[in-house]
């Protein structure tokens, strides 16, 4: 293994996954243990095949470490933003089911809040729209091997967490979604300036395919960490895991 001191705990987790991935027979290399490898390949723009040696993987890792990692893992660094001309049209749809199986969330919907917060009142969309709104154009990266640039708008998640009196010393924020998807993130990412509780896509009300009524958008995290169709948000010290995370995807997912 590389010198321990060079890598932070999250990176060490990824490196372990890369090693495990390389140990597997070819047919399983692109299976769940190697997903972080797929992510590194995506983020570094480097195509890795099953023939790659450990040395080659380490070269990729050190490039990864020098570049992309700096904004992925530092809560004070911003992910790149893009111009309107660079938007990917149409923006891809992805879920653990196909687009014709979307079950739209009801219009009279209310967001539930629970766990380590002072105020557990429900939130209507109208109330959320009354918060200061902000928008950003960022790149969404999916471990399945595609990325796309999109424009999302909504409430800075840190503003919302402050408003509900979330315990910012708690470790996790969890999400339960209308389609039974679930995921969770670390508190530093929840408080990151680019983490948005989005209500719009391309300046329009978030359409069903992109997660109406709301989606948490984090340009510092891979696609599967960005929950759509959010119904409930909770703050906790017990890691709530996630739909893909519980099947072996890297939990931190900033890889
Ligand atoms: N509720 C819910 N959120 C989800 C998913 C899902 O299946 N259900 N899939 C995740 C994955 S793997 C990706 S890549 C993105 C896709 O978002 P998009 O449809 O806006 O491109 O949503 C993420 N959030
Ligand atoms: Mo994804």
């Amino acid at each position: 293994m590389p010198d321990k001191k060079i890598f932070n705990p999250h990176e060490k987790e990824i490196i372990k996954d890369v090693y495990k991935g390389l140990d597997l027979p070819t047919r399983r290399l692109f299976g769940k243990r190697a997903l972080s490898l797929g992510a590194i390949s995506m983020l570094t723009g480097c195509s890795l095949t099953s023939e790659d040696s450990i040395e080659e993987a380490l070269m990729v890792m050190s490039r990864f470490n020098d570049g992309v990692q700096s904004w992925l893992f530092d809560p004070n660094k911003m992910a790149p933003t893009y111009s309107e001309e660079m938007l990917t049209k149409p923006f891809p749809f992805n879920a653990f089911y196909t687009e014709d199986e979307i079950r739209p969330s009801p219009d009279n919907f209310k967001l539930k809040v629970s766990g380590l917060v002072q105020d557990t009142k429900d939130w209507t969309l109208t109330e959320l729209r009354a918060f200061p709104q902000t928008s950003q154009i960022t790149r969404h990266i999916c471990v399945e091997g595609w990325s796309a640039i999109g424009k999302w708008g909504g409430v800075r998640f840190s503003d919302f967490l402050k408003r509900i009196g979330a315990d910012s010393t708690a470790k996790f924020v969890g999400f339960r979604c209308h389609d039974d998807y679930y995921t969770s993130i670390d508190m530093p990412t929840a408080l990151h300036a680019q983490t948005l509780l989005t209500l719009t896509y391309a300046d329009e009300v978030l359409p069903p395919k992109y997660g109406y009524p709301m989606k948490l958008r984090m340009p510092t995290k891979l696609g599967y960490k960005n929950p759509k169709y959010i119904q409930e948000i909770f703050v906790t010290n017990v890691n709530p895991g996630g739909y893909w995370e519980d099947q072996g995807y890297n939990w931190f997912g900033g890889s």
Side-chain angles (χ1 to χ4, degrees):
M1 290 290 281
D3 183 345
K4 276 186 208 128
K5 284 181 295 245
I6 304 173
F7 300 97
N8 71 32
H10 300 308
E11 292 168 291
K12 273 189 241 159
E13 213 179 303
I14 296 162
I15 294 164
K16 268 194 295 182
D17 276 8
V18 170
Y19 274 80
K20 282 180 193 154
L22 290 169
D23 280 340
L24 293 171
T26 305
R27 71 181 176 284
R28 287 194 57 206
L29 187 66
F30 297 104
K32 55 185 181 179
R33 293 310 320 176
L35 279 166
S36 297
L37 188 60
I40 288 162
S41 153
M42 186 76 236
L43 290 163
T44 57
C46 199
S47 90
L48 299 176
T49 68
S50 53
E51 269 77 46
D52 281 333
S53 64
I54 284 175
E55 280 73 17
E56 281 167 321
L58 281 174
M59 252 174 57
V60 173
M61 282 308 300
S62 75
R63 258 206 283 162
F64 176 73
N65 196 37
D66 290 339
V68 185
Q69 173 277 144
S70 59
W71 60 261
L72 277 177
F73 296 109
D74 183 340
N76 298 313
K77 281 204 180 150
M78 298 300 121
T81 56
Y82 302 86
S83 62
E84 299 263 354
E85 300 79 66
M86 295 175 81
L87 289 170
T88 305
K89 293 176 185 170
F91 193 86
F93 163 84
N94 196 28
F96 64 91
Y97 43 82
T98 57
E99 200 169 334
D100 56 301
E101 291 170 309
I102 296 171
R103 287 171 284 146
S105 303
D107 281 329
N108 62 353
F109 151 96
K110 283 186 183 173
L111 173 71
K112 290 198 214 92
V113 167
S114 62
L116 305 171
V117 301
Q118 278 159 16
D119 186 353
T120 56
K121 89 171 204 74
D122 292 347
W123 290 85
T124 63
L125 272 180
T126 311
E127 288 169 322
L128 292 171
R129 287 178 189 137
F131 274 77
Q133 306 287 301
T134 176
S135 74
Q136 64 193 16
I137 300 176
T138 55
R139 185 185 292 278
H140 171 115
I141 300 167
C142 174
V143 285
E144 287 170 38
W146 57 272
S147 83
I149 295 172
K151 182 177 186 182
W152 292 272
V155 181
R156 234 183 262 280
F157 197 44
S158 61
D159 289 350
F160 180 73
L161 290 174
K162 201 178 279 176
R163 175 63 188 77
I164 62 174
D167 176 358
S168 62
T169 69
K171 289 203 180 100
F172 308 104
V173 181
F175 303 87
R176 293 193 190 96
C177 308
H178 178 69
D179 59 355
D180 296 331
Y181 194 78
Y182 62 104
T183 186
S184 54
I185 58 169
D186 52 294
M187 186 60 81
T189 297
L191 298 173
H192 187 277
Q194 288 174 309
T195 297
L196 289 191
L197 189 57
T198 67
L199 308 173
T200 66
Y201 181 79
D203 304 313
E204 308 281 347
V205 173
L206 200 66
K209 62 177 174 176
Y210 302 141
Y212 179 87
M214 71 189 75
K215 157 172 175 157
L216 194 78
R217 174 68 196 133
M218 294 162 284
T220 56
K221 292 255 190 245
L222 290 165
Y224 64 88
K225 299 300 292 181
N226 290 237
K228 305 193 286 184
Y229 317 108
I230 300 172
Q231 271 193 321
E232 182 167 2
I233 295 175
F234 58 102
V235 176
T236 175
N237 279 311
V238 182
N239 190 334
Y243 180 90
W244 289 116
E245 294 87 331
D246 294 351
Q247 298 176 57
Y249 280 34
N250 175 269
W251 179 80
F252 189 73
S255 55

